[in-house]
Amino acid sequence: MAPKSVSSPASFPAIFAVFTLFLLFSASVNAHDYSDALRKCILFFEGQRSGKLPSDQRVKWRSHSALHDGASAGVDLRGGYYDAGDNIKFGFPMAFTTTMLAWSVIDFGRTMGSELQNAVRALKWGTDYLLKATATNGVVYVQVGDAISDHNCWERPEDMDTLRTVYKIDRNHPGSDVAGETAAALAAASIVFRSRDPAYSRILLNRAVKVFRFADTYRGAYSNYLHSAVCPFYCDNNGYQDELLWAAAWLHKASRRRQYREYIIRNEVVLRAGDTINEFGWDNKHAGINVLVSKEVLMGKSPDFKSFQNNADAFICSLCPGTAHPQVQYSPGGLIFKAGGSNMQHVTSLSFLLLAYSNYLSHANHVVTCGAKSASPVLLKNLARRQVNYILGDNPMKMSYMVGYGPRYPQRIHHRGSSLPSVSVHPAHIGCKAGSSYFLSSDPNPNVLVGAVVGGPNTTDAFPDSRPFFQESEPTTYINAPLVGLLAFFAAHP
């Protein structure tokens, strides 16, 4: 789940115009029920919940877990989300998940229909936890659980007896990356709740301001201090500078305070806004920063941000086959692919930016110039749709990579709670090593984690439906969060 090294690209279509026609007229092989996929995509988050579950919990095979989190440090850290198929609460990817859920609602909430309420609930489950994690001035609690001991066991979250060690950053041990992302999440969420719950929105924004001030004043990467706890799982390999700009961009959007606008302009070069413009995920925010900030330029509000639009345009060109940047490749079946693992995190995050930017371009009646060619908003939407359709089954394996969607989907996902019998079926404790037989079994998981999107196929579009192949078969919250926005849009524009 750490940032991935990138291999050389696969061969691309030689003629950009041919690719353009392909996207315009062949965006979908099969008709998809995007509304059904959206419902399931959001439902997945209920299967990842930690803490005391509410009475309206819909994933019934899950139960209460980690009810004493934070007690060893004298704080209440119950709640939040398990990041993936393990039982750890990693603050960095959880904050990014929360930011992307908020952005999905901000940009695409109006097309979510009856699922909007569930999306907002999923967001609030994250922000409630982040408020707990930032309740002490000058401290952010960034992880609960010892990853080494947890990964050495295969047990249900309801049973876990591994170390629930609490890890934090503070003034002497800074973490501008995770603190910056946390501030971004709180600020973005404050926009969502501005009209729904004004008092809660103010709490989120005020906390975002404090956390950002802490992140900016006490600079450093959290993995420098917490290396043994967070690496190799969620090391900060990209530096903390992008999270500071990302947080400032969301605070500018949420508060409209001049100080954040000035911060962005003043620090654009210092904090390297133009670096790695075709990367976006829990560790690298550069493409997201440029797309988010450039909206104001396209709306005619902030010409001082023009360089961010230039970067966003370059990002778009880097994803268009035929004009692609060497670091972006596609599988033979048409899936965006970045070497390493959990590839779908790149697919959903980059596709979200394609769709968001296409909407901004449409409102401004603007196209992106890629050398001698142009990328229109329609082209970008179809490129994003092609990626979503691949996830839902339009791929060489003829398999949906969303569990529970379509006639064929992964049966043996790398997920402890899904692969072990539920507490209601098997009330007796299943110990650390007793779960190994379930991990190694070739039987399908007994509990269907509906909506989970797995890491996905390899570079040749092949997929091993097997738990030990965790890079391909493990779902994560930060794969699903951007997909919420994508599915909401395509549900309204099938």
Side-chain angles (χ1 to χ4, degrees), residues 148 281 314-315 354 435:
I148 301 300
F315 158 70
L354 280 172

Side-chain angles (χ1 to χ4, degrees), residues 117-184:
Q117 183 178 19
N118 289 322
V120 172
R121 284 175 178 167
L123 173 62
K124 192 172 186 296
W125 194 269
T127 53
D128 282 350
Y129 177 82
L130 294 179
L131 287 173
K132 291 180 178 182
T134 57
T136 304
N137 285 333
V139 173
V140 178
Y141 292 96
V142 299
Q143 184 173 317
V144 181
D146 178 78
I148 301 300
S149 64
D150 179 87
H151 290 184
N152 192 44
C153 295
W154 195 260
E155 57 185 350
R156 303 174 295 199
E158 294 83 0
D159 282 337
M160 63 175 152
D161 45 18
T162 51
L163 296 171
R164 300 303 288 172
T165 311
V166 175
Y167 300 92
K168 68 178 181 179
I169 56 172
D170 56 29
R171 295 176 178 88
N172 297 319
H173 310 95
S176 302
D177 34 30
V178 64
E181 184 60 63
T182 300

